[in-house]
Amino acid sequence: MVVSLSTGCRHAMGLAVKGSTRFRPKGDSGGQGYHESVSQLTPEEQAELAYYAGYEPPEPVRHEPRFRILRKLATPFVVLGALLLKFKFIFLAIFKFKIFTTSATMLVSVAAYTLFWGWKFAVGFVLLMLVHELGHVLEAKRQGIPVSAPIFIPFLGAAIIPKEAFPNAWAEAKLAAGGPILGSIGAAAVWIAGEAYDSEFLIALAFTGFFLNLINLLPVSPLDGGRMAAALHPGLWIVGLVGLAGLTILAPNPILILILVLGALDVWNRWKTRKSLEGVEYYRVETWQKVVVAGLYLGLVITLAVAMSATHIEKDF
């Protein structure tokens, strides 16, 4: 900027000199000769001379001190920190609530499923899983068994974690059955709404809900079916593992493979301790209790299979 201004000023001075010396009459020291000589310049040179004659250099740019810029950038963070300190008891209370854990993991799952199915179906699917888990929570409360809030894991479903050991396999089977029972009712409600509003979207969502609950009834621990099978006979776990392995071979899927691995490890640990003193006591179930569990299990499997058939929508692609 400085170089260009100096060059321009020298150029203007050159024009002025050109006009004042080349055309001024000899011996003329007055101003008239100067004006006459200027008039001899070309129009372009006169315009350029007039431009530089009236030119005023701009005021130098004043840069704001660096510490002021940093202060402006830091202001929002300072305000946020002050709010956190002032209302820290509110934020701590929110994080202690079980609803925060559930809602946060739900949002993560919705975001993950949205990538494949769109946000509407993802929201519906996660809500159906929530209904399923609430069935476990209600049964746990009825039995007086403390459990964690439902935790959602993308592409693996959701789970609750008991905070103490089950007294026996009968108690565990009842808690396991609570999820598919309430989950099936929730999917049925969506099916009814889909028929009422002639909505294929809701009917397809209901189909997914029925399928979700049916898959959970596979007699493989830690699925609900595996926990119910523990009250009938531990040998059913082997049947469940073989069936799950066959399904994984026919329809390879990372989720099925993960469930198969986790199920095999859990079954192995349970199988080793089934004849221990604690294991024998744990798996001691009355005959009538076994009948109830078997009736619930078969009833759920048949009902869900029929419901899936009724809500299946044929698509021509």
PDB file of all heavy atoms in Angstrom, residues 63-86:
ATOM      1  N   HIS A  63      -5.656  -2.182  14.508  1.00  0.00           N
ATOM      2  CA  HIS A  63      -5.976  -3.549  14.892  1.00  0.00           C
ATOM      3  C   HIS A  63      -6.309  -3.609  16.377  1.00  0.00           C
ATOM      4  O   HIS A  63      -5.615  -3.016  17.196  1.00  0.00           O
ATOM      5  CB  HIS A  63      -4.796  -4.484  14.587  1.00  0.00           C
ATOM      6  CG  HIS A  63      -4.494  -4.577  13.124  1.00  0.00           C
ATOM      7  ND1 HIS A  63      -5.236  -5.324  12.255  1.00  0.00           N
ATOM      8  CD2 HIS A  63      -3.526  -3.961  12.382  1.00  0.00           C
ATOM      9  CE1 HIS A  63      -4.743  -5.210  11.034  1.00  0.00           C
ATOM     10  NE2 HIS A  63      -3.705  -4.382  11.080  1.00  0.00           N
ATOM     11  N   GLU A  64      -7.400  -4.386  16.651  1.00  0.00           N
ATOM     12  CA  GLU A  64      -7.801  -4.529  18.043  1.00  0.00           C
ATOM     13  C   GLU A  64      -6.768  -5.373  18.782  1.00  0.00           C
ATOM     14  O   GLU A  64      -6.279  -6.369  18.239  1.00  0.00           O
ATOM     15  CB  GLU A  64      -9.165  -5.232  18.105  1.00  0.00           C
ATOM     16  CG  GLU A  64      -9.791  -5.194  19.484  1.00  0.00           C
ATOM     17  CD  GLU A  64     -11.215  -5.716  19.456  1.00  0.00           C
ATOM     18  OE1 GLU A  64     -11.637  -6.190  18.398  1.00  0.00           O
ATOM     19  OE2 GLU A  64     -11.872  -5.657  20.498  1.00  0.00           O
ATOM     20  N   PRO A  65      -6.421  -4.973  19.980  1.00  0.00           N
ATOM     21  CA  PRO A  65      -5.432  -5.757  20.734  1.00  0.00           C
ATOM     22  C   PRO A  65      -5.849  -7.222  20.828  1.00  0.00           C
ATOM     23  O   PRO A  65      -7.027  -7.540  20.949  1.00  0.00           O
ATOM     24  CB  PRO A  65      -5.446  -5.077  22.117  1.00  0.00           C
ATOM     25  CG  PRO A  65      -5.900  -3.689  21.835  1.00  0.00           C
ATOM     26  CD  PRO A  65      -6.856  -3.787  20.694  1.00  0.00           C
ATOM     27  N   ARG A  66      -4.852  -8.097  20.772  1.00  0.00           N
ATOM     28  CA  ARG A  66      -5.136  -9.531  20.727  1.00  0.00           C
ATOM     29  C   ARG A  66      -5.869  -9.996  21.971  1.00  0.00           C
ATOM     30  O   ARG A  66      -6.737 -10.858  21.913  1.00  0.00           O
ATOM     31  CB  ARG A  66      -3.819 -10.287  20.581  1.00  0.00           C
ATOM     32  CG  ARG A  66      -3.987 -11.776  20.323  1.00  0.00           C
ATOM     33  CD  ARG A  66      -2.658 -12.407  19.996  1.00  0.00           C
ATOM     34  NE  ARG A  66      -2.086 -11.807  18.801  1.00  0.00           N
ATOM     35  CZ  ARG A  66      -0.875 -12.119  18.327  1.00  0.00           C
ATOM     36  NH1 ARG A  66      -0.126 -13.001  18.972  1.00  0.00           N
ATOM     37  NH2 ARG A  66      -0.418 -11.539  17.225  1.00  0.00           N
ATOM     38  N   PHE A  67      -5.574  -9.424  23.115  1.00  0.00           N
ATOM     39  CA  PHE A  67      -6.198  -9.885  24.350  1.00  0.00           C
ATOM     40  C   PHE A  67      -7.694  -9.564  24.354  1.00  0.00           C
ATOM     41  O   PHE A  67      -8.484 -10.287  24.954  1.00  0.00           O
ATOM     42  CB  PHE A  67      -5.501  -9.260  25.562  1.00  0.00           C
ATOM     43  CG  PHE A  67      -5.806  -7.797  25.764  1.00  0.00           C
ATOM     44  CD1 PHE A  67      -6.880  -7.383  26.541  1.00  0.00           C
ATOM     45  CD2 PHE A  67      -5.017  -6.829  25.153  1.00  0.00           C
ATOM     46  CE1 PHE A  67      -7.145  -6.037  26.718  1.00  0.00           C
ATOM     47  CE2 PHE A  67      -5.290  -5.485  25.328  1.00  0.00           C
ATOM     48  CZ  PHE A  67      -6.363  -5.079  26.112  1.00  0.00           C
ATOM     49  N   ARG A  68      -8.117  -8.495  23.648  1.00  0.00           N
ATOM     50  CA  ARG A  68      -9.533  -8.171  23.576  1.00  0.00           C
ATOM     51  C   ARG A  68     -10.289  -9.202  22.729  1.00  0.00           C
ATOM     52  O   ARG A  68     -11.415  -9.578  23.039  1.00  0.00           O
ATOM     53  CB  ARG A  68      -9.718  -6.771  22.998  1.00  0.00           C
ATOM     54  CG  ARG A  68      -9.243  -5.665  23.925  1.00  0.00           C
ATOM     55  CD  ARG A  68      -9.568  -4.301  23.355  1.00  0.00           C
ATOM     56  NE  ARG A  68      -9.101  -3.231  24.222  1.00  0.00           N
ATOM     57  CZ  ARG A  68      -9.243  -1.936  23.941  1.00  0.00           C
ATOM     58  NH1 ARG A  68      -9.824  -1.565  22.790  1.00  0.00           N
ATOM     59  NH2 ARG A  68      -8.803  -1.026  24.788  1.00  0.00           N
ATOM     60  N   ILE A  69      -9.673  -9.655  21.637  1.00  0.00           N
ATOM     61  CA  ILE A  69     -10.294 -10.681  20.802  1.00  0.00           C
ATOM     62  C   ILE A  69     -10.471 -11.973  21.599  1.00  0.00           C
ATOM     63  O   ILE A  69     -11.520 -12.611  21.573  1.00  0.00           O
ATOM     64  CB  ILE A  69      -9.444 -10.936  19.547  1.00  0.00           C
ATOM     65  CG1 ILE A  69      -9.348  -9.657  18.702  1.00  0.00           C
ATOM     66  CG2 ILE A  69     -10.028 -12.081  18.726  1.00  0.00           C
ATOM     67  CD1 ILE A  69      -8.450  -9.790  17.495  1.00  0.00           C
ATOM     68  N   LEU A  70      -9.425 -12.341  22.332  1.00  0.00           N
ATOM     69  CA  LEU A  70      -9.508 -13.554  23.139  1.00  0.00           C
ATOM     70  C   LEU A  70     -10.580 -13.422  24.214  1.00  0.00           C
ATOM     71  O   LEU A  70     -11.283 -14.385  24.533  1.00  0.00           O
ATOM     72  CB  LEU A  70      -8.149 -13.848  23.779  1.00  0.00           C
ATOM     73  CG  LEU A  70      -7.015 -14.187  22.807  1.00  0.00           C
ATOM     74  CD1 LEU A  70      -5.702 -14.351  23.572  1.00  0.00           C
ATOM     75  CD2 LEU A  70      -7.339 -15.457  22.022  1.00  0.00           C
ATOM     76  N   ARG A  71     -10.724 -12.213  24.751  1.00  0.00           N
ATOM     77  CA  ARG A  71     -11.730 -12.007  25.785  1.00  0.00           C
ATOM     78  C   ARG A  71     -13.130 -12.173  25.230  1.00  0.00           C
ATOM     79  O   ARG A  71     -14.010 -12.768  25.860  1.00  0.00           O
ATOM     80  CB  ARG A  71     -11.560 -10.612  26.395  1.00  0.00           C
ATOM     81  CG  ARG A  71     -12.504 -10.343  27.567  1.00  0.00           C
ATOM     82  CD  ARG A  71     -12.221  -8.989  28.175  1.00  0.00           C
ATOM     83  NE  ARG A  71     -12.459  -7.915  27.224  1.00  0.00           N
ATOM     84  CZ  ARG A  71     -12.216  -6.636  27.458  1.00  0.00           C
ATOM     85  NH1 ARG A  71     -11.685  -6.278  28.626  1.00  0.00           N
ATOM     86  NH2 ARG A  71     -12.457  -5.723  26.543  1.00  0.00           N
ATOM     87  N   LYS A  72     -13.346 -11.677  24.003  1.00  0.00           N
ATOM     88  CA  LYS A  72     -14.664 -11.835  23.377  1.00  0.00           C
ATOM     89  C   LYS A  72     -14.975 -13.294  23.098  1.00  0.00           C
ATOM     90  O   LYS A  72     -16.099 -13.749  23.280  1.00  0.00           O
ATOM     91  CB  LYS A  72     -14.716 -11.028  22.081  1.00  0.00           C
ATOM     92  CG  LYS A  72     -14.775  -9.520  22.290  1.00  0.00           C
ATOM     93  CD  LYS A  72     -14.900  -8.796  20.961  1.00  0.00           C
ATOM     94  CE  LYS A  72     -14.994  -7.288  21.160  1.00  0.00           C
ATOM     95  NZ  LYS A  72     -15.123  -6.571  19.856  1.00  0.00           N
ATOM     96  N   LEU A  73     -13.968 -14.036  22.632  1.00  0.00           N
ATOM     97  CA  LEU A  73     -14.188 -15.455  22.342  1.00  0.00           C
ATOM     98  C   LEU A  73     -14.456 -16.258  23.606  1.00  0.00           C
ATOM     99  O   LEU A  73     -15.210 -17.230  23.591  1.00  0.00           O
ATOM    100  CB  LEU A  73     -12.967 -16.030  21.617  1.00  0.00           C
ATOM    101  CG  LEU A  73     -12.710 -15.493  20.205  1.00  0.00           C
ATOM    102  CD1 LEU A  73     -11.405 -16.058  19.666  1.00  0.00           C
ATOM    103  CD2 LEU A  73     -13.859 -15.836  19.261  1.00  0.00           C
ATOM    104  N   ALA A  74     -13.837 -15.871  24.693  1.00  0.00           N
ATOM    105  CA  ALA A  74     -13.980 -16.638  25.928  1.00  0.00           C
ATOM    106  C   ALA A  74     -15.240 -16.288  26.711  1.00  0.00           C
ATOM    107  O   ALA A  74     -15.636 -17.035  27.597  1.00  0.00           O
ATOM    108  CB  ALA A  74     -12.753 -16.416  26.811  1.00  0.00           C
ATOM    109  N   THR A  75     -15.879 -15.179  26.379  1.00  0.00           N
ATOM    110  CA  THR A  75     -17.040 -14.729  27.145  1.00  0.00           C
ATOM    111  C   THR A  75     -18.146 -15.777  27.240  1.00  0.00           C
ATOM    112  O   THR A  75     -18.660 -16.041  28.332  1.00  0.00           O
ATOM    113  CB  THR A  75     -17.590 -13.420  26.554  1.00  0.00           C
ATOM    114  OG1 THR A  75     -16.580 -12.415  26.642  1.00  0.00           O
ATOM    115  CG2 THR A  75     -18.826 -12.959  27.318  1.00  0.00           C
ATOM    116  N   PRO A  76     -18.579 -16.425  26.110  1.00  0.00           N
ATOM    117  CA  PRO A  76     -19.647 -17.422  26.223  1.00  0.00           C
ATOM    118  C   PRO A  76     -19.283 -18.572  27.155  1.00  0.00           C
ATOM    119  O   PRO A  76     -20.130 -19.060  27.900  1.00  0.00           O
ATOM    120  CB  PRO A  76     -19.830 -17.912  24.783  1.00  0.00           C
ATOM    121  CG  PRO A  76     -19.281 -16.827  23.922  1.00  0.00           C
ATOM    122  CD  PRO A  76     -18.163 -16.248  24.705  1.00  0.00           C
ATOM    123  N   PHE A  77     -18.019 -19.001  27.137  1.00  0.00           N
ATOM    124  CA  PHE A  77     -17.615 -20.113  27.994  1.00  0.00           C
ATOM    125  C   PHE A  77     -17.591 -19.697  29.464  1.00  0.00           C
ATOM    126  O   PHE A  77     -17.909 -20.488  30.342  1.00  0.00           O
ATOM    127  CB  PHE A  77     -16.237 -20.615  27.558  1.00  0.00           C
ATOM    128  CG  PHE A  77     -16.200 -21.155  26.165  1.00  0.00           C
ATOM    129  CD1 PHE A  77     -15.746 -20.373  25.105  1.00  0.00           C
ATOM    130  CD2 PHE A  77     -16.648 -22.433  25.882  1.00  0.00           C
ATOM    131  CE1 PHE A  77     -15.715 -20.858  23.814  1.00  0.00           C
ATOM    132  CE2 PHE A  77     -16.618 -22.935  24.586  1.00  0.00           C
ATOM    133  CZ  PHE A  77     -16.163 -22.137  23.552  1.00  0.00           C
ATOM    134  N   VAL A  78     -17.225 -18.465  29.710  1.00  0.00           N
ATOM    135  CA  VAL A  78     -17.231 -17.967  31.081  1.00  0.00           C
ATOM    136  C   VAL A  78     -18.657 -17.920  31.621  1.00  0.00           C
ATOM    137  O   VAL A  78     -18.935 -18.316  32.758  1.00  0.00           O
ATOM    138  CB  VAL A  78     -16.581 -16.574  31.146  1.00  0.00           C
ATOM    139  CG1 VAL A  78     -16.731 -15.981  32.550  1.00  0.00           C
ATOM    140  CG2 VAL A  78     -15.112 -16.653  30.765  1.00  0.00           C
ATOM    141  N   VAL A  79     -19.579 -17.437  30.775  1.00  0.00           N
ATOM    142  CA  VAL A  79     -20.986 -17.379  31.192  1.00  0.00           C
ATOM    143  C   VAL A  79     -21.524 -18.781  31.464  1.00  0.00           C
ATOM    144  O   VAL A  79     -22.223 -19.018  32.464  1.00  0.00           O
ATOM    145  CB  VAL A  79     -21.826 -16.669  30.107  1.00  0.00           C
ATOM    146  CG1 VAL A  79     -23.309 -16.745  30.463  1.00  0.00           C
ATOM    147  CG2 VAL A  79     -21.394 -15.218  29.970  1.00  0.00           C
ATOM    148  N   LEU A  80     -21.201 -19.737  30.564  1.00  0.00           N
ATOM    149  CA  LEU A  80     -21.665 -21.115  30.758  1.00  0.00           C
ATOM    150  C   LEU A  80     -21.110 -21.702  32.050  1.00  0.00           C
ATOM    151  O   LEU A  80     -21.819 -22.377  32.802  1.00  0.00           O
ATOM    152  CB  LEU A  80     -21.232 -21.970  29.565  1.00  0.00           C
ATOM    153  CG  LEU A  80     -21.607 -23.459  29.615  1.00  0.00           C
ATOM    154  CD1 LEU A  80     -23.120 -23.615  29.710  1.00  0.00           C
ATOM    155  CD2 LEU A  80     -21.071 -24.189  28.398  1.00  0.00           C
ATOM    156  N   GLY A  81     -19.830 -21.447  32.303  1.00  0.00           N
ATOM    157  CA  GLY A  81     -19.246 -21.946  33.546  1.00  0.00           C
ATOM    158  C   GLY A  81     -19.907 -21.357  34.774  1.00  0.00           C
ATOM    159  O   GLY A  81     -20.132 -22.051  35.770  1.00  0.00           O
ATOM    160  N   ALA A  82     -20.245 -20.058  34.706  1.00  0.00           N
ATOM    161  CA  ALA A  82     -20.922 -19.420  35.836  1.00  0.00           C
ATOM    162  C   ALA A  82     -22.296 -20.039  36.079  1.00  0.00           C
ATOM    163  O   ALA A  82     -22.707 -20.261  37.222  1.00  0.00           O
ATOM    164  CB  ALA A  82     -21.046 -17.918  35.572  1.00  0.00           C
ATOM    165  N   LEU A  83     -23.013 -20.330  34.976  1.00  0.00           N
ATOM    166  CA  LEU A  83     -24.320 -20.965  35.128  1.00  0.00           C
ATOM    167  C   LEU A  83     -24.207 -22.363  35.735  1.00  0.00           C
ATOM    168  O   LEU A  83     -25.027 -22.755  36.569  1.00  0.00           O
ATOM    169  CB  LEU A  83     -25.025 -21.036  33.768  1.00  0.00           C
ATOM    170  CG  LEU A  83     -25.500 -19.699  33.185  1.00  0.00           C
ATOM    171  CD1 LEU A  83     -26.055 -19.910  31.771  1.00  0.00           C
ATOM    172  CD2 LEU A  83     -26.565 -19.072  34.084  1.00  0.00           C
ATOM    173  N   LEU A  84     -23.196 -23.105  35.293  1.00  0.00           N
ATOM    174  CA  LEU A  84     -23.004 -24.457  35.833  1.00  0.00           C
ATOM    175  C   LEU A  84     -22.702 -24.408  37.328  1.00  0.00           C
ATOM    176  O   LEU A  84     -23.207 -25.229  38.100  1.00  0.00           O
ATOM    177  CB  LEU A  84     -21.867 -25.160  35.085  1.00  0.00           C
ATOM    178  CG  LEU A  84     -22.182 -25.601  33.649  1.00  0.00           C
ATOM    179  CD1 LEU A  84     -20.914 -26.150  32.992  1.00  0.00           C
ATOM    180  CD2 LEU A  84     -23.278 -26.650  33.632  1.00  0.00           C
ATOM    181  N   LEU A  85     -21.897 -23.437  37.740  1.00  0.00           N
ATOM    182  CA  LEU A  85     -21.581 -23.310  39.158  1.00  0.00           C
ATOM    183  C   LEU A  85     -22.795 -22.867  39.967  1.00  0.00           C
ATOM    184  O   LEU A  85     -23.026 -23.334  41.084  1.00  0.00           O
ATOM    185  CB  LEU A  85     -20.434 -22.308  39.344  1.00  0.00           C
ATOM    186  CG  LEU A  85     -19.052 -22.767  38.861  1.00  0.00           C
ATOM    187  CD1 LEU A  85     -18.039 -21.627  39.004  1.00  0.00           C
ATOM    188  CD2 LEU A  85     -18.602 -23.984  39.652  1.00  0.00           C
ATOM    189  N   LYS A  86     -23.583 -22.004  39.375  1.00  0.00           N
ATOM    190  CA  LYS A  86     -24.733 -21.466  40.090  1.00  0.00           C
ATOM    191  C   LYS A  86     -25.849 -22.485  40.226  1.00  0.00           C
ATOM    192  O   LYS A  86     -26.526 -22.563  41.249  1.00  0.00           O
ATOM    193  CB  LYS A  86     -25.241 -20.208  39.373  1.00  0.00           C
ATOM    194  CG  LYS A  86     -26.333 -19.476  40.146  1.00  0.00           C
ATOM    195  CD  LYS A  86     -26.687 -18.170  39.462  1.00  0.00           C
ATOM    196  CE  LYS A  86     -27.740 -17.403  40.258  1.00  0.00           C
ATOM    197  NZ  LYS A  86     -28.099 -16.118  39.605  1.00  0.00           N
TER     198      LYS A  86
END
